[in-house]
Amino acid sequence: MTFNALSTATAGLQVTQAQVGIVSQNIANAGTAGYVKRTLTPVTQSGNAGVATGTVNRVLDAAAQKQLRLETSGAAYTDLVAGITKQIDALYGTPGSEASLDGAVNAFTRSLQTLAANPTAATNRTAVVSDASRLTSRIAGIAQGVQDLRGGLEAQLASDVSAANTLLKEIAALNVKIVGATGSVGSAATGAELLDQRDQRITQLAQYMDVQTNAASDGSVSVLTSSGVTLVDHGSATQLSFDARSQLGPAAIYSTDPAARGVGTVTATTPAGTRIDLIADQAIRSGSIAAGIGLRDDTLAQAQRQLDDLAAGLARALSDRGVAGTAASGAGGSGFDIDLTGLQAGNAVTLGVQTASGPRNVLLVPTTGDAPATIDPALTDDPTALVVTFDISGGPASFAGRIGAALGPGFTVSAVAGGAGAVRILSGGVTLTGASASITVPTSPSDTRSGSLELPLFVDSGFANGVYTGSFEGGSHLTGLAQRLVVNPRISADTSALVTYQDGTPSGDATRPQFLYDALTGAKRTFSAASGIGGVSAPFSASVQSFAQAIIDAQGAAAAQAQQLDEGQQIALSTAQSRFAEQSGVSIDEEMSKLIQLQSAYSANARVLTAAKEMLDTLMRI
């Protein structure tokens, strides 16, 4: 009996001592990131009465942990988006200020208005050129800022992918160690520490990309993206890489074709050697990597497109004449007559077509032989249009034949009276609902006094200071125009061209200045759907001045919305962290209460051991 009491008291002391050690460890690691609260589960000894120290357990709430990782990915995503959209908005300046984009646009239009009121003042002409130059510089500065942000994101993506790759290797290595940790209390405690380390690495990985885990019976876990791409399987990790580009320009975009891709992509190489383009597969949907990809390839690319469209609008509003077709009919069906005299490469002709599935535009894009055979509709005003090219190198007399050949069967195209390039386009099948074109009038930067009011005030410095027509010769001239648009040097050298549109124009004639002012502030132009202004499914119609204001409004609204989303996501993350800490974190008050209880139990077992010892001493003395 005495020996049983002695054995029980000794076992109790050992268990209590082990439990005190666990509680002390919990208290010591209360502020340690990734530490999960431990408990010790005693087990009953077989044979003699008593208990064994048992096993060390982690108090882990798997559901709370899963939610924490989900919110961690979301918070990293919204934080980066909010930060970048705020920087984009800042590029445009404080609305209404002289240094802002709208301030530069308004200053330019005011100078034109002032010139129209007093065309004879040389200072007014100089002010127009000066304000026009300041406007192009402002647009170019913002556009360069956009590309700088893209370059910064490219570098950050490289850093994030590298960090994620390191974490994957560490998780795989910890899997191997955890599978090997078995047996005694000491190894069980070590196993708990390894589990903590692995969980912490996975949560850190969630900052970069959305992940989920599957536990295996041997204690290892598989790590996958939410789209199902395996990143870690037992002791093997997928290798992530990012082929960053040192500099990004407006034409540097993502493409699934490696030869056409101008930016880096995230590649996953499995242990078996299979290579997966994670951007092409849309495998990463949250975290800072997903945010960086979306910002670089979508948000900032759209900001560049808005500025390119604004630059194109400035140039063509002052140099183009709008042409609308008139209804016509004949043996080939019904359609329109349209005068395309003066049509230049890039001056698209828009045909409205009513099909069985609904209305659609056909864009007839004139070329001189150096444009791509196939033009991406996304590079035009209407991404849903059917783009058809036709060669105008044969001159106006060839327009009808070339357009007819491009449109193919079902259309009848013929030359008509009215102009050197007037054509009649008829269809006996589909219904034509409209025909229009924007034709660039100046044929060169020096074409300023031909009698027309249109003026090549702005030119494209990237193409020998040529008149911008929307051409695709040698590639899209629209892409990057925001950085290349400058004031025509010939007009800077001779500001009288702002007033004199033909020989003999009276010095006080305000016709051209008023035309230029109205073209920017009153006349509506079509801006591309790709700019995202007014939606991404249809072109946007507004004056150039209104379009500039719409860009500023859109960027401000996007920044405010991103900030609101981030604030909400940060609250969700904080809530998830609190829930996880409540379930799996260390509460000092709770652990101190346990420690007091364990001290009492230790004292009780010690008294039993002392009593048993005294009984043995008494028996030995008998």
Side-chain angles (χ1 to χ4, degrees):
M1 185 71 177
T2 301
F3 289 105
N4 285 341
L6 183 62
S7 177
T8 300
T10 301
L13 283 174
Q14 291 175 342
V15 170
T16 303
Q17 187 175 19
Q19 289 177 321
V20 169
I22 293 297
V23 171
S24 299
Q25 184 182 8
N26 285 341
I27 294 173
N29 288 280
T32 302
Y35 181 84
V36 175
K37 179 172 61 178
R38 317 277 202 261
T39 61
L40 182 67
T41 303
V43 295
T44 304
Q45 290 264 28
S46 60
N48 294 333
V51 290
T53 51
T55 58
V56 176
N57 300 307
R58 299 161 73 233
V59 184
L60 180 66
D61 186 331
Q65 185 182 64
K66 181 179 180 180
Q67 188 66 29
L68 174 61
R69 288 170 180 167
L70 178 66
E71 303 301 348
T72 296
S73 293
Y77 185 99
T78 60
D79 178 66
L80 183 56
V81 171
I84 294 297
T85 53
K86 183 178 180 180
Q87 291 181 65
I88 297 173
D89 186 42
L91 289 174
Y92 293 86
T94 304
S97 67
E98 291 187 2
S100 66
L101 176 61
D102 62 330
V105 171
N106 293 337
F108 176 49
T109 56
R110 282 196 303 269
S111 66
L112 283 173
Q113 189 176 34
T114 301
L115 178 62
N118 185 6
T120 59
T123 54
N124 290 346
R125 298 196 301 270
T126 301
V128 169
V129 171
S130 176
D131 287 337
S133 180
R134 188 164 69 90
L135 175 56
T136 58
S137 296
R138 190 74 187 91
I139 293 173
I142 297 171
Q144 186 55 53
V146 167
Q147 293 307 317
D148 289 344
L149 287 174
R150 291 186 75 218
L153 286 167
E154 182 85 346
Q156 181 172 337
L157 282 167
S159 176
D160 286 355
V161 170
S162 176
N165 193 57
T166 298
L167 289 169
L168 292 177
K169 293 178 181 178
E170 292 176 351
I171 293 166
L174 286 166
N175 268 342
V176 174
K177 292 179 180 179
I178 289 167
V179 171
T182 59
S184 66
V185 173
S187 63
T190 301
E193 293 174 1
L194 294 174
L195 290 170
D196 279 355
Q197 293 174 23
R198 186 178 66 186
D199 284 349
Q200 187 176 13
R201 299 296 192 282
I202 296 172
T203 301
Q204 289 174 344
L205 180 64
Q207 296 177 5
Y208 301 111
M209 55 202 306
D210 47 313
V211 292
Q212 57 186 358
T213 60
N214 292 327
S217 58
D218 61 0
S220 66
V221 296
S222 296
V223 181
L224 307 89
T225 66
S226 61
S227 62
V229 176
T230 300
L231 301 173
V232 175
D233 185 18
H234 297 282
S236 300
T238 293
Q239 174 78 28
L240 299 182
S241 61
F242 185 80
D243 55 337
R245 308 303 165 92
S246 58
Q247 289 184 333
L248 299 187
I253 60 173
Y254 176 79
S255 173
T256 55
D257 179 4
R261 179 165 54 82
V263 295
T265 192
V266 184
T267 303
T269 304
T270 68
T274 302
R275 292 172 61 85
I276 305 170
D277 185 335
L278 298 183
I279 297 181
D281 287 1
Q282 298 181 337
I284 306 175
R285 301 170 181 173
S286 190
S288 62
I289 293 177
I293 292 169
L295 288 164
R296 182 197 67 181
D297 297 344
D298 297 323
T299 304
L300 287 165
Q302 186 179 77
Q304 175 72 45
R305 180 59 180 267
Q306 291 171 357
L307 294 164
D308 286 342
D309 279 354
L310 176 59
L314 278 170
R316 298 192 68 177
L318 305 184
S319 63
D320 285 17
R321 64 180 176 90
V323 180
T326 57
S329 61
S334 61
F336 294 87
D337 289 346
I338 185 167
D339 185 0
L340 302 180
T341 301
L343 192 72
Q344 298 188 45
N347 293 167
V349 181
T350 303
L351 299 179
V353 177
Q354 182 65 44
T355 67
S357 58
R360 189 182 184 189
N361 286 332
V362 175
L363 297 183
L364 297 169
V365 179
T367 77
T368 55
D370 194 29
T374 302
I375 293 175
D376 184 354
L379 295 174
T380 70
D381 292 339
D382 187 354
T384 66
L386 172 64
V387 180
V388 180
T389 61
F390 68 100
D391 190 352
I392 60 170
S393 58
S398 68
F399 287 0
R402 296 292 187 178
I403 292 174
L407 290 174
F411 292 88
T412 301
V413 185
S414 58
V416 297
V423 298
R424 173 170 292 176
I425 304 174
L426 305 177
S427 174
V430 297
T431 301
L432 296 179
T433 59
S436 62
S438 182
I439 299 177
T440 305
V441 175
T443 57
S444 71
S446 60
D447 185 8
T448 62
R449 291 179 168 83
S450 61
S452 62
L453 297 178
E454 290 79 11
L455 181 71
L457 178 57
F458 298 104
V459 292
D460 189 343
S461 65
F463 289 86
N465 284 338
V467 178
Y468 177 74
T469 64
S471 174
F472 287 90
E473 306 302 308
S476 172
H477 291 205
L478 174 65
T479 302
L481 180 63
Q483 285 93 324
R484 305 192 310 267
L485 193 71
V486 296
V487 173
N488 188 342
R490 287 176 170 80
I491 296 177
S492 296
D494 179 14
T495 60
S496 65
L498 291 167
V499 176
T500 305
Y501 58 92
Q502 61 186 356
D503 293 339
T505 301
S507 62
D509 192 336
T511 305
R512 175 172 268 180
Q514 188 63 49
F515 167 81
L516 299 177
Y517 173 77
D518 292 340
L520 291 176
T521 62
K524 287 190 175 182
R525 293 195 57 80
T526 298
F527 296 92
S528 70
S531 68
I533 304 298
V536 294
S537 59
F540 179 71
S541 180
S543 69
V544 174
Q545 186 179 44
S546 296
F547 182 71
Q549 188 60 56
I551 292 175
I552 296 169
D553 293 343
Q555 293 297 348
Q561 183 181 30
Q563 183 62 37
Q564 291 175 356
L565 288 174
D566 184 49
E567 289 173 356
Q569 184 59 47
Q570 296 303 329
I571 292 173
L573 175 59
S574 179
T575 301
Q577 290 171 333
S578 297
R579 179 187 171 190
F580 182 76
E582 181 180 348
Q583 300 295 326
S584 302
V586 176
S587 168
I588 296 295
D589 292 341
E590 181 183 345
E591 297 302 316
M592 291 302 295
S593 177
K594 287 182 181 179
L595 189 59
I596 293 172
Q597 294 175 7
L598 291 172
Q599 287 174 337
S600 298
Y602 189 90
S603 298
N605 281 305
R607 287 195 296 271
V608 171
L609 190 61
T610 300
K613 178 178 180 301
E614 291 175 350
M615 290 175 65
L616 285 174
D617 288 344
T618 301
L619 288 173
M620 292 296 292
R621 287 195 297 269
I622 295 175

